[in-house]
Amino acid sequence: MKNFLKSKGFREVLRILLALLIGLTLGFIITLFVSDDPIAAYKAFLFGPVSRLNRIGDWLEESLTLILLGLAVCIVFSASQWYIGVEGQMVLGALVSGVVVLFVPLPPVWRITLAFIAAMAVAFVWAIIPAILKAYLNANELVTSLMLNTVALKLFEYLLKNFIMPEKARSLSSDMIPDELRLPSFIPNLPIFTEVRELWMKQTSVTAMVYVIIAAVIFAYFLLYKTSFGYELRTVGSNKKFARFGGINVNRTIVLSMTVSGIFAGLAGVHLSLAIYNRVMMGMSFGLGFEGINIAILAGNNPLAVPIAALLYGYLRAGADVMERTSDVSRELVVVIQALVLLLVTAERLLPTIQRRISDQREENNNNNKIKDTKRTLKGDPNES
Amino acid sequence: MSLDVVIRSVLSALFISSVIRISTPIILPALGGLIAISAGVPNMALEGLMVVGAFTGVVVSAFTGNVWLAILCGIAASVLIVWLMAFFHLHLNTDLFIAGLAINLLCSSGTVFLLYTLTGDKGNSASLASLSVPNIHIPIIKDIPFLGTVLSGHNVFTYLALILAILVYIFLYHTRFGTHLRAVGENPEAATSLGINVKRVRMIALLLSAVFASLGGMNLSMAYLQLFQRDMAAGRGWIGIAAVHLGGRTPLGTVLASVLFGFSDAIANQLGSLKIPTQLVQMIPYLTTVGALVVYGIQKKRAAQERMKKYQRENIDQLAEKAVESE
């Protein structure tokens, strides 16, 4: 028990909970100022998502997208690449998968399979641009990926408006995907489940994508922690020079870190167009890509922790939606809370006593190493000549 | 409208004047970014700080009716927010990049939240009677045919940006504190050993960068337009960061790079009158940013290779000379 209390994981969880508590408290204080009925508003925010079945569905749907985005960001952040192009990859994934399902003349199963593959491939390829620029020309990936996000969004709008949208449509949206081409519900079609299944299908659109996502979480975990590619990725992330001297092809790893993340971001796009909205349309939950960053950071870049973080943030977002619909407080409050939580979670010294001791120790070690290094240089390193 | 009309209008004085106008809200945050990067603390929150400045300026001007007070408040609001970020980074060891992202989130959604609370509208502040800064007509110059259109009649912020660009140059290269600031950016350990308080210098650099960003934001909401729009900066803060990189981290380079983006934006506006789909035209400034970073990267790489070659050649020459001497 004592060991558990001192373990790193427990401290992390404690820190996150503390940050959440502070964030939610501040959120409540803000609500007190702006709302006529702050208690009701905050109640809607905190308990809204579980108050009705369709709201639970909304929460789960959003969380599933967030899981995929969190995984995508985990992979690039593990390699310490500040790449935030996940948004653009998701947008293109949504577009391509929707187009394939709507227009490619293949039997349903093949069509959907092709849609998945196409979306992942496009998201993979899209990241090649910033990846190569970063790896070979050292162009700031943050800036390039952000610029390309906008380009992707404009491309989406252009293609949707000029080629995909039916002529008489009033809103910027494609036709609905016909019923036989939709993903089945996540509850298997067995006699015992018939009633539950029908109830869920009516109220929510949580689809069989759930299983794909569970597989994706496990796949990401294995990729990062059980394969040599994952090891290379993390080594590049923690120390580029060391990785280079260790014989790792750093440039290749950087390129792969961004492109592989595209696989997950592309899937997130698939989830948007094939599971949640059942069509391609403007303003399909865009902006979620940045939530992926929040989630990856909250999960400490650990794929297995991503679902928890995603469910948590999905809950906050769903709660904010309910709050906006039922009270006079706007949903942006939740993003303010999230930003505060993000700041607090990443503040290394939030739990002062424990943290300071550790950081002091680390510093002492560093200093010792430095002293050793200096001595070695002064003496002249025997290995060098 | 046909292409030759576009070309003719691009060569006109009005076009050059519009380039200057469009470049201003990029030059200002870029200069802020330059100061921060020079101190070794790249400020990723410029975008959000611009939005906060723009929002505060509009709201204060609407409620007090005083433009100058509004500008001061806009600056103060951005500085306060960046202080929060700097505090988290410098004293609580939050990663600066993540802190920057968090602040961006805070600013972009926080302003929408407050806008909704104040006006009941999430899109813009059209219902608030906000003010704008006056345009300045420079006495004698305004009557010269071509030059008058180009140089005169801009808003206060444009002239302020040009003056500030010069001041930043003087500050960074010709003042004691500017030298300290660059020293901290180059090598914080060495700076510490010389008795410079690294944290204090970095804090001041970040606060200064916020002043610039907020001015850029207010340029958008109190001169460019006369209202606040949700996410008004529209990526200009990020383009500003790109401009700093592109300009080789020098004041002149940064300004020139910002003008390049202003130019591509202005071109896009002109092309909008042709029958090219708007979405494709709107991509131009962003693609220019990426393209410019590519060119810069290639140049830098080539320069490094040249240096390497030169060094190797010198080495070979020296060896050859030695060989000759020993014979």
Side-chain angles (χ1 to χ4, degrees):
Chain A
M1 192 64 197
K2 235 180 184 176
N3 279 338
F4 174 72
L5 285 176
K6 278 183 184 169
S7 74
K8 201 176 160 235
F10 177 74
R11 263 206 327 270
E12 282 296 308
V13 172
L14 200 67
R15 209 165 74 187
I16 289 170
L17 287 179
L18 188 63
L20 257 180
L21 196 71
I22 298 175
L24 288 174
T25 313
L26 285 172
F28 183 63
I29 294 173
I30 297 172
T31 317
L32 280 180
F33 278 102
V34 303
S35 176
D36 296 332
D37 189 358
I39 307 282
Y42 225 60
K43 225 180 189 173
F45 172 49
L46 288 181
F47 304 107
V50 285
S51 60
R52 272 190 230 154
L53 187 58
N54 65 337
R55 284 178 182 165
I56 295 181
D58 287 347
W59 165 37
L60 291 180
E61 280 162 30
E62 184 128 288
S63 303
L64 290 172
T65 322
L66 290 176
I67 291 176
L68 289 166
L69 293 168
L71 292 177
V73 178
C74 265
I75 288 179
V76 269
F77 277 19
S78 292
S80 285
Q81 298 303 310
W82 300 128
Y83 169 80
I84 47 181
V86 169
E87 172 87 8
Q89 290 169 308
M90 176 186 77
V91 168
L92 292 177
L95 176 76
V96 170
S97 60
V99 167
V100 169
V101 165
L102 280 170
F103 299 114
V104 177
L106 278 175
V109 177
W110 291 108
R111 246 200 239 199
I112 292 174
T113 319
L114 184 68
F116 273 78
I117 295 172
M120 290 192 279
V122 164
F124 185 93
V125 170
W126 185 254
I128 287 182
I129 313 165
I132 285 187
L133 295 184
K134 162 74 187 206
Y136 296 98
L137 295 175
N138 204 16
N140 190 321
E141 74 277 19
L142 187 84
V143 176
T144 53
S145 59
L146 207 80
M147 296 294 124
L148 287 171
N149 277 349
T150 313
V151 173
L153 210 64
K154 297 282 172 203
L155 195 65
F156 177 90
E157 198 185 327
Y158 168 67
L159 293 174
L160 181 62
K161 221 174 187 170
N162 291 289
F163 301 107
I164 302 166
M165 214 171 85
E167 261 175 39
K168 283 177 192 159
R170 256 175 277 147
S171 62
L172 268 179
S173 144
S174 72
D175 286 325
M176 291 297 276
I177 293 171
D179 275 343
E180 70 271 16
L181 287 169
R182 289 188 188 173
L183 296 174
S185 169
F186 78 104
I187 301 167
N189 196 1
L190 293 173
I192 12 166
F193 294 131
T194 319
E195 269 176 47
V196 191
R197 190 166 191 264
E198 257 171 32
L199 190 68
W200 270 80
M201 274 178 82
K202 233 181 263 167
Q203 301 263 358
T204 76
S205 48
V206 182
T207 61
M209 195 73 185
V210 174
Y211 303 109
V212 177
I213 288 165
I214 293 172
V217 170
I218 297 168
F219 175 69
Y221 174 74
F222 270 89
L223 192 71
L224 265 183
Y225 290 97
K226 304 285 172 194
T227 63
S228 57
F229 169 67
Y231 177 74
E232 287 176 10
L233 209 71
R234 286 179 293 122
T235 315
V236 169
S238 56
N239 192 339
K240 225 170 169 180
K241 262 188 194 155
F242 176 76
R244 188 162 280 142
F245 289 135
I248 293 172
N249 187 340
V250 175
N251 287 346
R252 201 194 63 162
T253 310
I254 289 175
V255 172
L256 280 177
S257 73
M258 297 183 202
T259 48
V260 168
S261 85
I263 295 177
F264 298 96
L267 275 178
V270 173
H271 188 247
L272 285 183
S273 58
L274 297 197
I276 300 185
Y277 294 96
N278 286 313
R279 63 187 144 161
V280 184
M281 59 186 262
M282 249 340 252
M284 276 198 306
S285 313
F286 293 153
L288 276 179
F290 295 98
E291 295 284 331
I293 297 171
N294 280 336
I295 286 160
I297 291 167
L298 205 63
N301 285 345
N302 182 353
L304 294 183
V306 163
I308 303 168
L311 282 168
L312 186 70
Y313 268 18
Y315 190 89
L316 291 182
R317 285 175 66 94
D321 265 343
V322 177
M323 176 175 71
E324 180 166 283
R325 259 179 280 146
T326 57
S327 78
D328 56 349
V329 183
S330 101
R331 73 183 310 279
E332 272 72 22
L333 176 68
V334 70
V335 189
V336 173
I337 295 177
Q338 281 178 357
L340 294 171
V341 171
L342 190 61
L343 271 179
L344 293 169
V345 164
T346 49
E348 282 184 13
R349 298 208 183 131
L350 191 61
L351 286 181
T353 44
I354 309 167
Q355 294 292 331
R356 192 166 297 153
R357 209 175 297 153
I358 292 169
S359 70
D360 282 349
Q361 222 163 35
R362 216 181 283 158
E363 218 154 89
E364 208 172 82
N365 282 344
N366 275 349
N367 285 343
N368 284 343
N369 285 343
K370 260 182 207 159
I371 292 167
K372 269 184 209 160
D373 283 348
T374 328
K375 273 183 190 163
R376 206 177 296 149
T377 358
L378 286 177
K379 276 179 198 163
D381 199 337
N383 296 333
E384 226 157 67
S385 52
Chain B
M1 212 191 245
S2 61
L3 194 63
D4 62 300
V5 179
V6 171
I7 291 172
R8 216 174 305 142
S9 65
V10 163
L11 295 173
S12 70
L14 268 176
F15 179 77
I16 301 176
S17 151
S18 78
V19 169
I20 296 177
R21 200 182 61 230
I22 296 174
S23 303
T24 309
I26 301 173
I27 294 177
L28 283 167
L31 287 172
L34 174 69
I35 294 176
I37 259 187
S38 300
V41 275
N43 185 351
M44 294 294 165
L46 291 174
E47 177 88 5
L49 296 169
M50 281 179 85
V51 177
V52 165
F55 176 77
T56 315
V58 162
V59 171
V60 174
S61 79
F63 283 100
T64 64
N66 187 334
V67 178
W68 309 109
L69 181 70
I71 293 179
L72 279 183
C73 288
I75 294 174
S78 289
V79 166
L80 197 72
I81 299 255
V82 94
W83 177 85
L84 182 74
M85 177 176 95
F87 175 78
F88 265 91
H89 171 60
L90 297 171
H91 298 287
L92 297 176
N93 278 3
T94 299
D95 184 276
L96 187 60
F97 165 80
I98 294 167
L101 286 184
I103 293 293
N104 278 332
L105 279 178
L106 186 73
C107 296
S108 91
S109 55
T111 47
V112 176
F113 181 79
L114 289 175
L115 184 67
Y116 179 77
T117 312
L118 283 175
T119 68
D121 189 337
K122 279 188 173 187
N124 60 52
S125 70
S127 58
L128 293 176
S130 62
L131 306 172
S132 64
V133 294
N135 288 350
I136 295 180
H137 297 278
I138 309 170
I140 300 156
I141 293 176
K142 77 170 195 265
D143 298 324
I144 308 172
F146 188 81
L147 226 53
T149 324
V150 173
L151 292 179
S152 177
H154 291 292
N155 66 64
V156 175
F157 288 110
T158 303
Y159 299 109
L160 192 64
L162 297 178
I163 297 167
L164 283 175
I166 298 166
L167 287 182
V168 166
Y169 170 75
I170 296 171
F171 167 71
L172 281 179
Y173 294 96
H174 295 286
T175 64
R176 195 184 154 83
F177 187 75
T179 315
H180 282 184
L181 193 144
R182 285 184 298 127
V184 166
E186 289 280 322
N187 191 334
E189 281 95 359
T192 314
S193 73
L194 290 173
I196 300 173
N197 185 341
V198 174
K199 276 188 185 173
R200 203 182 120 245
V201 170
R202 288 193 159 161
M203 175 66 98
I204 293 172
L206 283 172
L207 295 183
L208 277 176
S209 73
V211 173
F212 283 80
S214 67
L215 287 173
M218 284 183 280
N219 180 32
L220 290 173
S221 67
M222 299 171 71
Y224 207 75
L225 295 176
Q226 205 177 325
L227 51 79
F228 173 80
Q229 284 174 340
R230 146 179 226 154
D231 287 327
M232 189 159 207
R236 287 187 181 83
W238 296 104
I239 293 180
I241 293 173
V244 176
H245 282 278
L246 209 60
R249 299 187 180 189
T250 61
L252 181 66
T254 303
V255 170
L256 288 179
S258 308
V259 172
L260 173 73
F261 298 130
F263 181 76
S264 70
D265 212 354
I267 289 268
N269 283 348
Q270 290 293 329
L271 287 176
S273 55
L274 288 179
K275 273 198 178 141
I276 305 171
T278 44
Q279 293 90 5
L280 298 187
V281 171
Q282 285 166 349
M283 285 180 196
I284 294 177
Y286 302 95
L287 288 174
T288 310
T289 312
V290 176
L293 281 173
V294 172
V295 174
Y296 176 69
I298 293 175
Q299 265 178 358
K300 233 179 147 186
K301 194 158 194 186
R302 221 173 261 162
Q305 279 169 348
E306 292 272 298
R307 239 187 350 257
M308 201 90 109
K309 266 189 208 149
K310 202 169 153 196
Y311 176 73
Q312 281 167 346
R313 209 174 300 136
E314 268 169 17
N315 246 0
I316 292 167
D317 288 349
Q318 276 171 5
L319 286 175
E321 269 171 30
K322 267 184 193 165
V324 172
E325 271 170 23
S326 64
E327 270 178 21

